[in-house]
Amino acid sequence: MKRTSRDIRTANRYEVLRQIIARSPTSRQELAAATGLSLATVATLVGELLDLRMITEVGFEDSAGGRPRGLVAVDAAGGALIGVDIAETYVHVELFDLALNVLARAEEDIRPGESLPEQVVARVAAAVDRVVARAGVETARVLGVGVSVPGQVDRDTGVAEYAPNWDWHDVPLRDLLSARIDRPLHLDNPLRACAVAELWFGAARGHGDAVVVNLGTGVGAGLVLGGALHRGVSNSAGEWGHTTLVLDGRLCHCGNHGCVETYVGAPGIMQNLREHSPRSPLLHPEDQTATVDALARAVAAGDPVAVKVVRDTARYLAAGIADLVNLLNPEVVVLSSWVAARLGEPLLDEVREAVARHALRRPLASTRIVLSPVPTDPVCLGAATLALEGALQAVGQRSAPRAAAATAPGSASAAAAAAAPAPAPAANSAADRGRTAPST
């Protein structure tokens, strides 16, 4: 799809703000170096963000004998963002300030048989209301709500096209949520949300190529290629959990057999335990979280059944990760989401050892495999950054008609523009025209 100059400007504004959040306080010169944009472009975009009250001037720093450099930082109080993590067994919601610090959290359980769209929407609305109340912020200060929903999502229409674990097909989720939540809504799925969180604040930060493996009830891989989030032509990239790991293997909710997800997702791990020890006290048949937690505690205690189950799970996981290493040659593979967090280092150690047996030596030599260092729910954090991206895009869309009206033929602004000298190169200077800073 051809990108307009407004699209490029919005992407550059987003990237400059991302760098300010990551580096606060920072100078315009440092921002130009970090983004690859010209200093004139950065100065213009910083001015726009100051006008929006998303950032603020915070003083000066010496510059090796030259003029002192002005410093800017994110204005944490300039607004709020909400990230929503809809998973198969829970809804987790976090409210952030503009520096993406967590101000409040809330969670709702989704019990078996309670996954109809209307039921899930009710859980989301209740949790959103609670975080707003707990943080003590006015609803009008919330710039946007990012919502991550499992499966395949059409970002433009807000439709959850396919969620195999719930058998959802073409659910107009954004419309359903809009009836309960009076703020701008931005939908995507957890693969993209986790990848963005790692790109901004986690193990993928500063890397051009990374894979973020999302291990929960469902399984997938968020892809960062060339320093940017890779979505694919229909926003469906990363459905690695539905690639075949075992020919004619376990039946998957997607209808195929032997998918990666059926061996390393939470239900798959429960099946691994059931096959090894059907009457194990570690198995909680109706509770994924309790089973994974029990496994983690038992591994720490040296229980041989738990150690065997985690080792077998790691072998399946490593075979799939080796494919990603051989195919994409990433700098880092990040194990993310709640299953990875709970099983932690024992799972990571087994995965590293097993990947070395399957991956080609040359690509593996350039790849680190790590646990996510993000201290909060990475899906909520990533969803909140997607809401921030949407807020900046909305600003660009609102400003364009005003700019067009101001320079319409016969207008006072048009006459003044015709009489004024040519401006210095700014946000669409010759150096930057058609170029976008690396971003999500």
Side-chain angles (χ1 to χ4, degrees), residues 55-123:
I55 63 174
T56 184
E57 301 274 11
V58 294
F60 296 88
E61 69 173 359
D62 293 333
S63 58
R67 295 174 57 187
R69 294 176 173 178
L71 298 176
V72 293
V74 65
D75 184 354
L81 301 159
I82 292 176
V84 178
D85 175 9
I86 301 176
E88 286 84 352
T89 59
Y90 63 84
V91 170
H92 188 79
V93 176
E94 295 185 353
L95 185 144
F96 301 82
D97 63 20
L98 273 192
L100 293 172
N101 301 307
V102 180
L103 302 182
R105 296 182 173 94
E107 186 159 314
E108 292 270 331
D109 290 333
I110 297 178
R111 290 178 287 274
E114 296 182 352
S115 59
L116 292 175
E118 295 78 8
Q119 294 171 314
V120 172
V121 166
R123 297 280 192 276

Side-chain angles (χ1 to χ4, degrees), residues 135 230 260:
H230 179 70
V260 171

Side-chain angles (χ1 to χ4, degrees), residues 314-345:
R315 287 178 59 242
Y316 288 123
L317 180 57
I321 289 176
D323 291 342
L324 293 171
V325 170
N326 291 345
L327 182 65
L328 299 172
N329 193 198
E331 296 168 80
V332 62
V333 174
V334 188
L335 305 187
S336 182
S337 200
W338 68 271
V339 169
R342 283 171 164 83
L343 296 181
E345 294 290 341

Side-chain angles (χ1 to χ4, degrees), residues 172-238:
L173 187 59
R174 187 168 63 197
D175 289 345
L176 294 173
L177 288 167
S178 295
R180 303 287 298 269
I181 300 171
D182 186 25
R183 299 312 300 152
L185 292 158
H186 308 276
L187 267 62
D188 215 313
N189 88 349
L191 307 183
R192 257 71 75 191
C194 278
V196 170
E198 296 297 333
L199 190 60
W200 277 53
F201 298 106
R205 182 174 169 185
H207 293 295
D209 297 281
V211 174
V212 182
V213 173
N214 185 52
L215 295 176
T217 300
V219 171
L223 306 178
V224 176
L225 302 178
L229 187 64
H230 179 70
R231 296 182 175 279
V233 69
S234 63
N235 198 42
S236 300

Side-chain angles (χ1 to χ4, degrees), residues 264-277:
V264 302
I269 294 172
M270 293 174 71
Q271 183 63 22
N272 298 341
L273 174 57
R274 190 177 291 111
E275 290 176 357
H276 185 71
S277 180

